[in-house]
């Protein structure tokens, strides 16, 4: 009998080995094999008190990323993974700045970004009737990410990040889209072009009602904005409305006003500037006066908490380190992991750090939009149908 067993042993071993090889190939096809995470977790001691380790549940292979999904025992959280992110990145064979660790109920996801989607702003297909601004494509869903500029919970925005992150392109995109999509009866601009370069093309845009370059005269400029805010509130109160949105619906269409200030660090020690911005940040929403501020780093000296706490939307771009990232968007914002060139995160009521690749808009496209808009305005003037700010009182609801 023992001889018979000995005869079958090699055959059984061979079948087992063949089964292992077959299983290995099946897992390879499914993308489940290649890495022995169990061994990794043992080595880095990623387990709970009962020595239970996370188990690889599934792998998703997408065009722009690969996602490892782990089923985790009690006591294991995403923080345990994040503490070991560098070792996990080396194990996976990825740049540590390309991995994202996220908790989804009982699962921990490790998402490895393979490439970022790219896209150009198209004035024809991306034109909208509402006030939502297309910013770029989500790296999670690959759907378009929008900032709703007039939504009360998203009112006021600052764009921040290191040089080369894409602040100028973001600003160009926002203004160009609004010119492309909305009339000056819907929205108008007050622009402070601090650096004198990036926004000069919008000086003669029909949406631009107030414009200055450099830093001299900013106090008078903003004082005029405060006067306008007060004028609007008098009208809103007189017509028994709660805010400009209701006023526009019931009375006539006073345009929303986007107050754009580039490189706010230039006004760091200017108390009159800070007083005006504090008032607009805290009271401007109801009057339809919306701030759009741009800076590399909104430190306390540049953007005090009295301003920052009233700004509901942050567009965070690449930073040099996690300290700067936290100043811009709070703890664990992860802006130091971004790659620059429009790679960004959106923080507002609908998006808690939505990571996306920003749309690009060339200077040529921007100029074409402004030029086309000017032509439309000229045709309206020639036809006697144009509406100027002084004509608003004659507009029927």
């Amino acid at each position: 009998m023992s001889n018979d067993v000995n005869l079958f042993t090699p055959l059984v071993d061979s079948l087992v080995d063949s089964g292992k090889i077959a299983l290995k190939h099946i897992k390879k096809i499914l993308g489940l094999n290649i890495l022995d995470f169990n061994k990794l977790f043992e080595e880095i001691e990623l387990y709970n008190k009962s020595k239970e380790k996370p188990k690889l549940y599934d792998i998703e292979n997408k065009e722009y990323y690969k996602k490892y999904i782990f089923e985790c025992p009690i006591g294991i959280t995403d923080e345990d993974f994040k503490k070991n992110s560098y070792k996990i990145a080396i194990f996976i064979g990825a740049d540590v700045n390309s991995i994202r660790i996220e908790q989804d109920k009982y699962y921990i996801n490790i998402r490895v970004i393979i490439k970022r989607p790219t896209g150009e702003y198209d004035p024809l297909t991306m034109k909208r009737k509402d006030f939502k601004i297309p910013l770029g494509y989500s790296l999670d869903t690959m759907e378009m990410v929008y900032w709703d500029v007039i939504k009360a919970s998203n009112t006021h925005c600052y764009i921040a990040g290191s040089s080369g992150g894409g602040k100028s392109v973001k600003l160009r995109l926002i203004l160009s889209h609004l010119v492309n999509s909305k009339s000056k009866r819907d929205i108008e601009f007050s622009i402070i072009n601090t650096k004198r370069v990036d926004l000069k093309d919008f000086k003669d845009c029909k949406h631009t009602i107030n414009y200055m370059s450099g830093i001299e005269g900013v106090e008078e400029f903003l004082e005029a904005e405060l006067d306008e805010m007060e004028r609007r509130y008098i009208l809103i109160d007189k017509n028994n409305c709660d805010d400009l949105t209701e006023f526009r619906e019931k009375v006539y269409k006073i345009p929303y006003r986007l107050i754009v200030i580039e490189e706010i660090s230039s006004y760091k020690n200017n108390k009159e500037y800070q007083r005006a911005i504090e008032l607009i940040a805290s009271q401007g929403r109801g009057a339809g006066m919306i701030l759009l501020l741009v800076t590399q780093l909104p430190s306390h000296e540049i953007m005090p908490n009295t301003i920052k706490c009233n700004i509901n939307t942050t567009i965070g771009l690449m930073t040099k380190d996690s300290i700067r990232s936290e100043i811009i968007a709070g703890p664990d914002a992860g802006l130091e992991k971004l790659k620059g060139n429009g790679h960004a995160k959106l923080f507002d009521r609908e998006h808690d750090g939505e990571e996306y690749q920003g749309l690009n808009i060339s200077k040529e496209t921007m100029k074409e939009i402004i030029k086309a808009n000017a032509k439309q305005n000229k045709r309206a003037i020639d036809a006697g149908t144009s509406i100027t700010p002084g004509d608003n009182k004659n507009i029927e609801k």
Side-chain angles (χ1 to χ4, degrees), residues 32-240:
L32 292 172
N33 78 315
I34 321 164
L35 304 168
D36 188 352
F37 283 100
N38 190 60
K39 184 178 179 181
L40 170 69
F41 295 151
E42 185 72 38
E43 290 177 354
I44 65 176
E45 298 182 357
L46 205 164
Y47 44 68
N48 62 14
K49 292 181 179 180
S50 302
K51 297 295 180 79
E52 296 173 307
K53 298 183 287 292
K55 294 180 181 178
L56 184 61
Y57 175 77
D58 195 8
I59 294 180
E60 293 181 1
N61 288 291
K62 303 292 185 179
E63 182 179 359
Y64 297 102
Y65 66 86
K66 187 172 188 175
K67 185 188 288 185
Y68 298 90
I69 303 171
F70 295 92
E71 193 172 20
C72 292
I74 294 172
I76 298 293
T77 69
D78 58 332
E79 290 301 319
D80 297 300
F81 279 76
K82 288 176 182 178
K83 289 174 186 175
N84 293 282
S85 59
Y86 186 73
K87 294 176 182 177
I88 291 172
I90 292 174
F91 181 77
I92 292 173
D95 182 344
V96 68
N97 291 329
S98 295
I99 71 169
R100 304 291 182 266
I101 296 171
E102 306 145 342
Q103 184 146 8
D104 182 13
K105 296 182 180 179
Y106 303 109
Y107 298 95
I108 303 291
N109 301 328
I110 299 177
R111 189 156 49 91
V112 183
I113 297 173
I114 299 169
K115 61 178 180 177
R116 290 174 284 152
T118 57
E120 289 284 331
Y121 179 78
D122 186 339
L124 295 177
T125 63
M126 294 182 180
K127 190 172 183 176
R128 296 181 64 90
K129 293 182 179 180
D130 57 23
F131 287 87
K132 290 183 178 181
I133 297 170
L135 297 176
Y137 293 103
S138 165
L139 293 184
D140 188 23
T141 65
M142 298 304 137
E143 295 179 353
M144 187 64 74
V145 175
Y146 296 94
W147 172 39
D148 192 340
V149 68
I150 66 166
K151 189 170 183 178
S153 58
N154 294 336
T155 301
H156 308 310
C157 172
Y158 67 83
I159 304 170
S162 301
S163 297
K167 296 188 296 297
S168 297
V169 176
K170 285 277 185 292
L171 194 53
R172 187 190 307 157
L173 172 67
I174 290 170
L175 295 180
S176 296
H177 173 75
L178 290 172
V179 172
N180 185 49
S181 297
K182 310 304 295 182
S183 75
K184 67 178 183 181
R185 283 180 57 188
D186 290 319
I187 195 161
E188 60 192 16
F189 306 150
S190 286
I191 296 176
I192 301 177
N193 187 14
T194 307
K195 295 195 295 186
R196 304 176 184 270
V197 178
D198 294 331
L199 301 176
K200 62 182 181 180
D201 291 290
F202 291 96
K203 180 179 180 180
D204 299 319
C205 173
K206 72 173 186 175
H207 290 69
T208 302
I209 192 166
N210 297 311
Y211 179 93
M212 66 164 278
S213 59
I215 62 174
E216 295 297 326
V218 69
E219 299 88 355
E220 292 81 2
F221 188 100
L222 291 175
E223 196 62 40
E225 298 301 318
L226 292 176
D227 291 343
E228 172 64 14
M229 185 170 73
E230 179 64 19
R231 183 187 76 84
R232 291 180 177 212
Y233 271 123
I234 291 170
L235 284 172
I236 290 167
D237 182 58
K238 182 179 178 181
N239 288 275
N240 197 29

Side-chain angles (χ1 to χ4, degrees), residues 287-305:
M289 309 278 283
I290 303 160
L291 290 170
L292 178 57
L293 311 177
V294 183
T295 186
Q296 288 195 26
L297 190 67
S299 61
H300 179 72
E301 297 82 6
I302 295 169
M303 190 183 291
N305 289 335

